[in-house]
Amino acid sequence: GEAEGPGDAFHFELGSFAVESEDLQLASPELHCARTRVLDYFAAQRPHHRPSRVLFGFERSMEFGVAEEALLRQLCLHMAFPTATHGQTHAGGSSLLPAYLSGESRLLLENFPELGFFRDMVFLFKMLMVPTSEALPEICPWMPLDALLSWRHDASSGAFVVSAFGRTLNAAAITKQAEQAENSSWLERKLRKVFGVTKPRAPPS
């Protein structure tokens, strides 16, 4: 985003982190300070960024968005990578950009592997912000490789499908639960958990 040309910096948002972390039982003052600094940093950055440059808004939609397209087009222009299949046009729905981001076409991620790592970290971060465990994998002795995210782009819906832990991770549930969390108070969320209306995100330790 800082390269010369008609572009601005890209960024991502924290989603419902502020809401979901407000009652975390943190064991040390340093962790509370770290949480506050993270929230302050992102709050301070928000006025300086355009919505069209927000990457990986998985809590809202799993579709290939405007910001992702702008970033990948900028990278392809810099590296002289094709953006559409040979003999076809972007208007015909044959753009290679979603496949670059999903890794179904390895050209971009082989040259910029950090983009794939960043994509996965943001997705997992937002998965962990779901208020209940209904959208999370069941508790069992998973192996480390079970957590490896598998991405593909569904051309018919325009959305990414992410699989791990032997299941498809439900982005619709993330969106629904995030909206419910944002529209409810701390007391309401606590009462739903106490009376068993929703399952807690993690069992008692």
Side-chain angles (χ1 to χ4, degrees), residues 18-98:
V19 173
E20 289 304 317
S21 63
E22 64 185 10
D23 58 347
L24 285 177
Q25 298 181 11
L26 301 176
S28 67
E30 291 81 5
L31 293 177
H32 284 283
C33 291
R35 172 186 177 272
T36 302
R37 289 176 178 176
V38 169
L39 292 174
D40 287 347
Y41 172 80
F42 279 89
Q45 295 297 317
R46 191 175 299 116
H48 304 290
H49 294 295
R50 293 186 297 168
S52 61
R53 311 297 273 191
V54 178
L55 294 167
F56 307 143
F58 300 128
E59 73 278 14
R60 294 187 297 272
S61 172
M62 289 295 292
E63 294 184 358
F64 184 73
V66 175
E68 289 80 18
E69 180 176 1
L71 174 61
L72 266 62
R73 283 193 178 278
Q74 185 171 321
L75 291 175
C76 289
L77 179 63
H78 177 69
M79 299 294 292
F81 290 161
T83 59
T85 53
H86 180 68
Q88 296 178 311
T89 63
H90 174 62
S94 58
S95 172
L96 289 171
L97 300 180

Side-chain angles (χ1 to χ4, degrees), residues 59-188:
E59 73 278 14
R60 294 187 297 272
S61 172
M62 289 295 292
E63 294 184 358
F64 184 73
V66 175
E68 289 80 18
E69 180 176 1
L71 174 61
L72 266 62
R73 283 193 178 278
Q74 185 171 321
L75 291 175
C76 289
L77 179 63
H78 177 69
M79 299 294 292
F81 290 161
T83 59
T85 53
H86 180 68
Q88 296 178 311
T89 63
H90 174 62
S94 58
S95 172
L96 289 171
L97 300 180
Y100 285 159
L101 187 57
S102 68
E104 293 170 288
S105 177
R106 296 295 306 173
L107 181 61
L108 195 67
L109 294 186
E110 286 292 332
N111 288 272
F112 299 97
E114 63 273 18
L115 179 61
F117 299 142
F118 184 56
R119 172 205 65 191
D120 289 354
M121 286 188 294
V122 174
F123 180 81
L124 289 173
F125 171 77
K126 295 186 175 183
M127 274 293 298
L128 292 175
M129 289 301 103
V130 294
T132 75
S133 62
E134 295 172 357
L136 299 176
E138 60 275 10
I139 298 175
C140 71
W142 297 107
M143 297 296 291
L145 288 179
D146 293 326
L148 182 64
L149 300 181
S150 174
W151 292 73
R152 67 179 179 87
H153 184 255
D154 185 355
S156 60
S157 65
F160 290 105
V161 179
V162 185
S163 301
F165 301 102
R167 60 178 288 180
T168 298
L169 301 180
N170 193 337
I174 301 175
T175 303
K176 181 179 179 180
Q177 292 184 13
E179 291 174 351
Q180 290 175 346
E182 290 173 357
N183 295 328
S184 62
S185 66
W186 175 87
L187 180 59
E188 289 173 335

